[in-house]
Amino acid sequence: MMNAQATSLQITGMTCAACAARIEKGLHKMDGVTMANVNLALENATVEFDSSRVAVSDIISRVEKLGYGAQVKENDQAVFNHREEAIQKQKRKFAISAILSLPLLWTMVGHFSLTSFIYVPEILMNPWVQMILATPVQFIIGGQFYISAYKALRDQSANMDVLVVMGTSAAYFYSVYQAVNTNAQLHYPHLYFETSAVLITLILLGKLFEAKAKGRSSEAIQKLMGLQAKTALVIRNDAEREISIEDVVVGDIILIRPGEKIPVDGEILEGNTAVDESMLTGESLPIDKEAGSIVFGSTVNKNGFITIRATKVGRDTALAQIIKVVEDAQGSKAPIQRLADKISDVFVPVVIALAIMTYLVWLIFLAPGEFGPAMESLIAVLVIACPCALGLATPTSIMAGSGRAAELGILFKGGEHLEQTHHINTVIVDKTGTVTNGKPILTDVIVAEGMNIRMLLSFIGSAEKQSEHPLAQSIIKGIEQEGIKLREVRDFEAIPGYGVKATVNQRAILVGTRKLMNKYNINISGALGMMEELEAEGKTAMIASIDGRYAGMIAVADTIKDSSGQAIARLQDMGIEVIMMTGDNERTARAIAQQLGIQRVMAELLPEEKAQEVRKLQAAGRKVAMVGDGTNDAPALAVANIGMAVGTGTDIAMEAADITLIRGDLNSIADAIIMSHKTMANIKQNLFWAFGYNTLGIPIAAAGFLAPWLAGVAMAFSSVSVVLNALRLQRVELNKKATKKWDVH
């Protein structure tokens, strides 16, 4: 009989996607392991296994035999502490490497006639001084690259660390060879200690940025968990008791005061209130609730005292389901296999083979028995083929592209997202807070015949002033902005689900729904047509009566951002399908979509349903970008190919997304896609020149026509050309009015 069990392990020592793949492969080979999923970004592994055939200790041992560290995952704080320690360690290594490399970088000016006027201390030109500075960088600071390269080669693969080790080792050991075999009193040899040391320093800087970026997704989950109420006031044995949220069970009767978070999902037994469900639906307007209504944990009870019966607790609540979707999506996202890694799989073995072949040909045929010429030709081949430019091709473009994007208000969380974005052919936009401003305002005032508009607003504002309903605040703010003075109120009464009743200047005032007017027998037959028109436009309309007669109507609505229409049209002109997805009702959503020219609308969706719709589009072959601003958008942001969070939205949305649009301007969506296109084109140019230029030099070096020092100059020139090409991205200008159909795929 199978005893199914699962464990989560914290993994240390991973440096690239190949590491995660090797661990997964090794664990899958174990007898009794049914599933292993290693997440490089979160540095953890989720393993499902048969406990009757294999133990957790066996799984940890297997990971350790593969060359990595593993331990059962502790609490989130322990993981955070481990990550902070890793970042501090990486900072120390970079600082030491930079201190040792700067003097070597100084010596580079002596290699070029254009910079020969710069003073270089004589002691720094001494090969032994340079070796003393470079050796700790090469083998102590850079030891992590040797370890990673060894693991890759052991598993018959070649990653970027193999390229780094090959290139820096070629430069370092050739410099050692020159230093040992040169009479320093006669001349200084051509040395490349600075090449290896500076390259390792720059790569360490990239690793530091990577270490800081890791774990942002787990921080998003921590913030989601932080939304939960900590305690609940329950009735047990006819007594009120405040207990921990973890101790609430299905069937508990819970009391919830105004302003408190609802602790668990449940059904209202007594009371009326308005509940802010924006963390679930994203909608700014609270929902009126009464006995029999369903409420969700972590939403906010705005203004009424209610009693609920717990129906879902723990992992079954709506918020827990959001957390699960985000966790699952983060774990399932495969890291991008960089084009440079694909090239290196073939490039590295071929170069090594050619270098050895060159050495043997010189030693046996061209200069029989002469070690020097054979070694110089071998080193020349390795130096000219040194992957400095190949290693710089992708990261420099990504750094320049992402830096320029940041200036435009677009934050890419990582280079892989900058790479992926250019594939997008479908953009899903949330409604509230994304295409709209997310705050309801007073939009319309309709007055009955013979009624003065300022008098009507004065009566309505006065009646609503004592209301705790959030819509009332929008109404009062709009009225006060018109400079209308509010009056003294008596006999105020809020009628949940209906509206308000009050006496203002001895006049009986009612403001609210159709139901309120019908309850007090107010004839509103002449106003219903206008009310339906306003509601068809996505507005919330309320009727007012004075002394039992219809007096007028007001409407509040969330307004569309000024830039939304232009941004949507721009995306459509680029050949990208735009879809609106919202938790709001169908009528309101379609009214907004129609104004924006959006043809496809998905409305009345819960957070997990939004994620399901994204998956359906992906299953149909679409590359989907989800743009949202609220906690309710987090699952869809996480499962989309690219999640874009509006910077004016919640921290949860921004943490779950791959890209943050800082300015809240939807034009940033098109800007992000265009920057991705330009950056990917730049990367391909860099890879072509880095690979092509060095490959062209290999046969020249092998033939003995290229001295190692010249090969070093050529290698440096290819690196400089790659960097200069990448820097062009920093001058990219985007025309908001320009439209172009992209070859999206």
Short mmCIF file of all heavy atoms in Angstrom, two decimals, residues 659-702:
data_model
loop_
_atom_site.label_atom_id
_atom_site.label_comp_id
_atom_site.label_asym_id
_atom_site.label_seq_id
_atom_site.Cartn_x
_atom_site.Cartn_y
_atom_site.Cartn_z
N ILE A 659 6.27 42.50 -14.14
CA ILE A 659 6.59 43.87 -14.54
C ILE A 659 5.70 44.81 -13.74
O ILE A 659 4.52 44.53 -13.55
CB ILE A 659 6.32 44.08 -16.04
CG1 ILE A 659 7.17 43.12 -16.89
CG2 ILE A 659 6.60 45.53 -16.46
CD1 ILE A 659 6.79 43.13 -18.37
N THR A 660 6.27 45.91 -13.26
CA THR A 660 5.47 46.94 -12.60
C THR A 660 5.45 48.19 -13.48
O THR A 660 6.50 48.68 -13.89
CB THR A 660 6.06 47.30 -11.22
OG1 THR A 660 6.05 46.14 -10.39
CG2 THR A 660 5.24 48.39 -10.55
N LEU A 661 4.24 48.67 -13.78
CA LEU A 661 4.06 49.90 -14.56
C LEU A 661 3.92 51.04 -13.56
O LEU A 661 2.83 51.32 -13.05
CB LEU A 661 2.83 49.79 -15.45
CG LEU A 661 2.74 48.50 -16.31
CD1 LEU A 661 1.46 48.48 -17.12
CD2 LEU A 661 3.95 48.37 -17.21
N ILE A 662 5.03 51.69 -13.24
CA ILE A 662 5.09 52.61 -12.11
C ILE A 662 4.09 53.75 -12.23
O ILE A 662 3.45 54.14 -11.26
CB ILE A 662 6.51 53.20 -11.99
CG1 ILE A 662 7.53 52.07 -11.77
CG2 ILE A 662 6.59 54.19 -10.84
CD1 ILE A 662 8.96 52.54 -11.80
N ARG A 663 3.93 54.29 -13.43
CA ARG A 663 3.14 55.51 -13.58
C ARG A 663 1.64 55.26 -13.68
O ARG A 663 0.85 56.19 -13.70
CB ARG A 663 3.62 56.27 -14.81
CG ARG A 663 5.08 56.73 -14.67
CD ARG A 663 5.66 57.24 -15.97
NE ARG A 663 7.08 57.54 -15.82
CZ ARG A 663 7.90 57.78 -16.83
NH1 ARG A 663 7.44 57.76 -18.06
NH2 ARG A 663 9.17 58.05 -16.61
N GLY A 664 1.23 54.02 -13.79
CA GLY A 664 -0.20 53.74 -13.89
C GLY A 664 -0.78 54.08 -15.25
O GLY A 664 -1.99 53.98 -15.45
N ASP A 665 0.06 54.50 -16.19
CA ASP A 665 -0.37 54.85 -17.55
C ASP A 665 -0.34 53.59 -18.40
O ASP A 665 0.69 52.94 -18.54
CB ASP A 665 0.59 55.90 -18.12
CG ASP A 665 0.17 56.40 -19.50
OD1 ASP A 665 -0.67 55.74 -20.14
OD2 ASP A 665 0.70 57.44 -19.94
N LEU A 666 -1.49 53.22 -18.99
CA LEU A 666 -1.55 51.98 -19.76
C LEU A 666 -0.72 52.04 -21.04
O LEU A 666 -0.48 51.01 -21.67
CB LEU A 666 -3.00 51.63 -20.09
CG LEU A 666 -3.90 51.28 -18.90
CD1 LEU A 666 -5.17 50.61 -19.37
CD2 LEU A 666 -3.19 50.39 -17.90
N ASN A 667 -0.26 53.22 -21.44
CA ASN A 667 0.68 53.29 -22.57
C ASN A 667 1.95 52.52 -22.26
O ASN A 667 2.68 52.11 -23.17
CB ASN A 667 1.02 54.75 -22.89
CG ASN A 667 0.03 55.38 -23.86
OD1 ASN A 667 -0.13 54.89 -24.98
ND2 ASN A 667 -0.64 56.42 -23.42
N SER A 668 2.22 52.31 -20.97
CA SER A 668 3.42 51.57 -20.56
C SER A 668 3.36 50.11 -21.01
O SER A 668 4.39 49.45 -21.11
CB SER A 668 3.60 51.65 -19.05
OG SER A 668 3.80 52.98 -18.63
N ILE A 669 2.15 49.58 -21.26
CA ILE A 669 2.04 48.19 -21.73
C ILE A 669 2.71 48.07 -23.09
O ILE A 669 3.57 47.20 -23.33
CB ILE A 669 0.57 47.75 -21.83
CG1 ILE A 669 -0.15 47.92 -20.50
CG2 ILE A 669 0.48 46.31 -22.31
CD1 ILE A 669 -1.66 47.72 -20.58
N ALA A 670 2.32 48.95 -24.03
CA ALA A 670 2.93 48.94 -25.36
C ALA A 670 4.42 49.27 -25.27
O ALA A 670 5.24 48.66 -25.97
CB ALA A 670 2.21 49.93 -26.27
N ASP A 671 4.78 50.22 -24.40
CA ASP A 671 6.19 50.57 -24.23
C ASP A 671 7.00 49.35 -23.79
O ASP A 671 8.12 49.13 -24.28
CB ASP A 671 6.34 51.68 -23.18
CG ASP A 671 5.79 53.01 -23.66
OD1 ASP A 671 5.54 53.14 -24.88
OD2 ASP A 671 5.60 53.91 -22.83
N ALA A 672 6.45 48.57 -22.87
CA ALA A 672 7.15 47.38 -22.37
C ALA A 672 7.37 46.37 -23.49
O ALA A 672 8.45 45.78 -23.62
CB ALA A 672 6.36 46.75 -21.22
N ILE A 673 6.35 46.16 -24.31
CA ILE A 673 6.45 45.20 -25.40
C ILE A 673 7.47 45.68 -26.44
O ILE A 673 8.30 44.89 -26.93
CB ILE A 673 5.07 44.97 -26.05
CG1 ILE A 673 4.12 44.31 -25.04
CG2 ILE A 673 5.19 44.11 -27.30
CD1 ILE A 673 2.68 44.24 -25.48
N ILE A 674 7.45 46.97 -26.75
CA ILE A 674 8.39 47.52 -27.73
C ILE A 674 9.82 47.44 -27.19
O ILE A 674 10.75 47.07 -27.93
CB ILE A 674 8.01 48.98 -28.07
CG1 ILE A 674 6.69 49.01 -28.84
CG2 ILE A 674 9.11 49.65 -28.89
CD1 ILE A 674 6.11 50.40 -29.03
N MET A 675 10.02 47.76 -25.91
CA MET A 675 11.37 47.66 -25.33
C MET A 675 11.86 46.23 -25.35
O MET A 675 13.05 45.97 -25.57
CB MET A 675 11.37 48.19 -23.89
CG MET A 675 11.39 49.71 -23.76
SD MET A 675 12.76 50.52 -24.62
CE MET A 675 14.18 49.70 -23.90
N SER A 676 10.96 45.28 -25.15
CA SER A 676 11.34 43.87 -25.23
C SER A 676 11.78 43.51 -26.65
O SER A 676 12.79 42.83 -26.85
CB SER A 676 10.17 42.98 -24.79
OG SER A 676 10.51 41.62 -24.93
N HIS A 677 11.00 43.96 -27.66
CA HIS A 677 11.37 43.72 -29.06
C HIS A 677 12.76 44.28 -29.35
O HIS A 677 13.61 43.59 -29.93
CB HIS A 677 10.36 44.40 -29.98
CG HIS A 677 9.15 43.56 -30.29
ND1 HIS A 677 9.16 42.55 -31.22
CD2 HIS A 677 7.90 43.59 -29.78
CE1 HIS A 677 7.95 42.01 -31.27
NE2 HIS A 677 7.18 42.61 -30.41
N LYS A 678 12.99 45.52 -28.97
CA LYS A 678 14.26 46.18 -29.27
C LYS A 678 15.41 45.51 -28.53
O LYS A 678 16.52 45.36 -29.07
CB LYS A 678 14.17 47.67 -28.89
CG LYS A 678 13.27 48.48 -29.82
CD LYS A 678 13.28 49.95 -29.46
CE LYS A 678 12.42 50.76 -30.44
NZ LYS A 678 12.96 50.77 -31.80
N THR A 679 15.18 45.11 -27.28
CA THR A 679 16.23 44.47 -26.51
C THR A 679 16.59 43.10 -27.08
O THR A 679 17.77 42.74 -27.18
CB THR A 679 15.80 44.33 -25.03
OG1 THR A 679 15.47 45.62 -24.51
CG2 THR A 679 16.91 43.72 -24.20
N MET A 680 15.58 42.33 -27.47
CA MET A 680 15.86 41.02 -28.05
C MET A 680 16.61 41.14 -29.37
O MET A 680 17.51 40.36 -29.67
CB MET A 680 14.56 40.24 -28.25
CG MET A 680 13.99 39.66 -26.97
SD MET A 680 15.17 38.64 -26.07
CE MET A 680 15.47 37.34 -27.26
N ALA A 681 16.25 42.14 -30.18
CA ALA A 681 16.97 42.37 -31.43
C ALA A 681 18.42 42.72 -31.13
O ALA A 681 19.35 42.26 -31.80
CB ALA A 681 16.30 43.49 -32.22
N ASN A 682 18.63 43.52 -30.09
CA ASN A 682 19.98 43.92 -29.69
C ASN A 682 20.79 42.73 -29.20
O ASN A 682 21.98 42.59 -29.53
CB ASN A 682 19.88 44.99 -28.60
CG ASN A 682 21.19 45.70 -28.35
OD1 ASN A 682 21.99 45.25 -27.54
ND2 ASN A 682 21.41 46.81 -29.03
N ILE A 683 20.15 41.85 -28.44
CA ILE A 683 20.82 40.64 -27.94
C ILE A 683 21.27 39.77 -29.11
O ILE A 683 22.41 39.27 -29.14
CB ILE A 683 19.90 39.85 -27.01
CG1 ILE A 683 19.73 40.58 -25.67
CG2 ILE A 683 20.45 38.45 -26.75
CD1 ILE A 683 18.69 39.97 -24.76
N LYS A 684 20.40 39.58 -30.09
CA LYS A 684 20.75 38.75 -31.24
C LYS A 684 21.90 39.36 -32.04
O LYS A 684 22.77 38.64 -32.54
CB LYS A 684 19.51 38.55 -32.12
CG LYS A 684 18.47 37.66 -31.47
CD LYS A 684 17.16 37.60 -32.25
CE LYS A 684 16.13 36.76 -31.53
NZ LYS A 684 14.82 36.76 -32.22
N GLN A 685 21.91 40.70 -32.16
CA GLN A 685 23.04 41.36 -32.83
C GLN A 685 24.33 41.10 -32.07
O GLN A 685 25.37 40.77 -32.65
CB GLN A 685 22.78 42.87 -32.91
CG GLN A 685 21.64 43.28 -33.82
CD GLN A 685 21.19 44.70 -33.57
OE1 GLN A 685 21.79 45.44 -32.78
NE2 GLN A 685 20.11 45.10 -34.24
N ASN A 686 24.26 41.24 -30.74
CA ASN A 686 25.45 41.01 -29.91
C ASN A 686 25.97 39.59 -30.04
O ASN A 686 27.17 39.35 -30.15
CB ASN A 686 25.14 41.32 -28.45
CG ASN A 686 25.13 42.80 -28.14
OD1 ASN A 686 25.55 43.61 -28.97
ND2 ASN A 686 24.66 43.16 -26.97
N LEU A 687 25.05 38.63 -29.98
CA LEU A 687 25.45 37.22 -30.08
C LEU A 687 26.07 36.93 -31.45
O LEU A 687 27.05 36.18 -31.56
CB LEU A 687 24.25 36.31 -29.84
CG LEU A 687 23.72 36.28 -28.40
CD1 LEU A 687 22.44 35.46 -28.32
CD2 LEU A 687 24.77 35.69 -27.46
N PHE A 688 25.52 37.53 -32.49
CA PHE A 688 26.07 37.31 -33.84
C PHE A 688 27.51 37.81 -33.92
O PHE A 688 28.41 37.11 -34.38
CB PHE A 688 25.20 38.02 -34.88
CG PHE A 688 25.79 37.99 -36.26
CD1 PHE A 688 25.68 36.86 -37.05
CD2 PHE A 688 26.48 39.09 -36.76
CE1 PHE A 688 26.24 36.82 -38.32
CE2 PHE A 688 27.04 39.06 -38.02
CZ PHE A 688 26.92 37.92 -38.81
N TRP A 689 27.72 39.06 -33.44
CA TRP A 689 29.06 39.62 -33.53
C TRP A 689 30.03 38.93 -32.58
O TRP A 689 31.19 38.67 -32.93
CB TRP A 689 29.02 41.12 -33.24
CG TRP A 689 28.43 41.90 -34.38
CD1 TRP A 689 27.23 42.55 -34.40
CD2 TRP A 689 28.99 42.07 -35.68
NE1 TRP A 689 27.01 43.12 -35.63
CE2 TRP A 689 28.07 42.83 -36.45
CE3 TRP A 689 30.17 41.64 -36.29
CZ2 TRP A 689 28.31 43.20 -37.76
CZ3 TRP A 689 30.41 42.00 -37.61
CH2 TRP A 689 29.49 42.77 -38.33
N ALA A 690 29.55 38.63 -31.36
CA ALA A 690 30.43 37.97 -30.38
C ALA A 690 30.85 36.60 -30.87
O ALA A 690 32.03 36.24 -30.81
CB ALA A 690 29.71 37.86 -29.04
N PHE A 691 29.90 35.86 -31.38
CA PHE A 691 30.18 34.49 -31.84
C PHE A 691 30.91 34.52 -33.18
O PHE A 691 31.93 33.85 -33.37
CB PHE A 691 28.86 33.74 -31.97
CG PHE A 691 29.01 32.31 -32.43
CD1 PHE A 691 29.66 31.38 -31.64
CD2 PHE A 691 28.52 31.91 -33.66
CE1 PHE A 691 29.81 30.08 -32.07
CE2 PHE A 691 28.66 30.60 -34.09
CZ PHE A 691 29.31 29.69 -33.29
N GLY A 692 30.43 35.34 -34.11
CA GLY A 692 31.01 35.38 -35.45
C GLY A 692 32.42 35.93 -35.48
O GLY A 692 33.31 35.39 -36.13
N TYR A 693 32.65 37.02 -34.75
CA TYR A 693 33.96 37.68 -34.73
C TYR A 693 35.02 36.74 -34.17
O TYR A 693 36.10 36.57 -34.75
CB TYR A 693 33.85 38.94 -33.90
CG TYR A 693 35.09 39.81 -33.87
CD1 TYR A 693 35.31 40.76 -34.86
CD2 TYR A 693 36.03 39.68 -32.86
CE1 TYR A 693 36.44 41.56 -34.84
CE2 TYR A 693 37.16 40.46 -32.82
CZ TYR A 693 37.36 41.41 -33.82
OH TYR A 693 38.49 42.20 -33.78
N ASN A 694 34.71 36.13 -33.03
CA ASN A 694 35.70 35.26 -32.40
C ASN A 694 35.91 33.99 -33.21
O ASN A 694 37.03 33.47 -33.30
CB ASN A 694 35.26 34.90 -30.97
CG ASN A 694 35.37 36.09 -30.04
OD1 ASN A 694 35.76 37.17 -30.46
ND2 ASN A 694 35.03 35.89 -28.79
N THR A 695 34.81 33.47 -33.79
CA THR A 695 34.94 32.26 -34.60
C THR A 695 35.83 32.51 -35.82
O THR A 695 36.63 31.65 -36.21
CB THR A 695 33.55 31.78 -35.06
OG1 THR A 695 32.75 31.54 -33.90
CG2 THR A 695 33.65 30.51 -35.87
N LEU A 696 35.71 33.69 -36.41
CA LEU A 696 36.54 34.04 -37.55
C LEU A 696 38.02 34.08 -37.17
O LEU A 696 38.90 33.75 -37.98
CB LEU A 696 36.10 35.41 -38.09
CG LEU A 696 36.83 35.92 -39.34
CD1 LEU A 696 36.54 35.02 -40.53
CD2 LEU A 696 36.41 37.36 -39.65
N GLY A 697 38.29 34.49 -35.92
CA GLY A 697 39.68 34.61 -35.49
C GLY A 697 40.33 33.29 -35.12
O GLY A 697 41.57 33.19 -35.06
N ILE A 698 39.52 32.25 -34.86
CA ILE A 698 40.08 30.96 -34.42
C ILE A 698 41.03 30.36 -35.45
O ILE A 698 42.16 29.98 -35.11
CB ILE A 698 38.96 29.98 -34.04
CG1 ILE A 698 38.29 30.43 -32.73
CG2 ILE A 698 39.50 28.56 -33.89
CD1 ILE A 698 37.09 29.61 -32.33
N PRO A 699 40.64 30.21 -36.74
CA PRO A 699 41.58 29.62 -37.71
C PRO A 699 42.83 30.47 -37.90
O PRO A 699 43.92 29.93 -38.15
CB PRO A 699 40.76 29.55 -39.00
CG PRO A 699 39.59 30.45 -38.81
CD PRO A 699 39.32 30.47 -37.36
N ILE A 700 42.69 31.81 -37.76
CA ILE A 700 43.87 32.67 -37.89
C ILE A 700 44.83 32.41 -36.74
O ILE A 700 46.06 32.31 -36.93
CB ILE A 700 43.43 34.15 -37.91
CG1 ILE A 700 42.51 34.42 -39.10
CG2 ILE A 700 44.64 35.08 -37.95
CD1 ILE A 700 41.91 35.81 -39.12
N ALA A 701 44.27 32.28 -35.52
CA ALA A 701 45.11 31.99 -34.36
C ALA A 701 45.73 30.61 -34.45
O ALA A 701 46.90 30.41 -34.11
CB ALA A 701 44.26 32.11 -33.09
N ALA A 702 44.96 29.63 -34.91
CA ALA A 702 45.45 28.26 -35.02
C ALA A 702 46.60 28.17 -36.01
O ALA A 702 47.53 27.35 -35.84
CB ALA A 702 44.33 27.32 -35.43
#
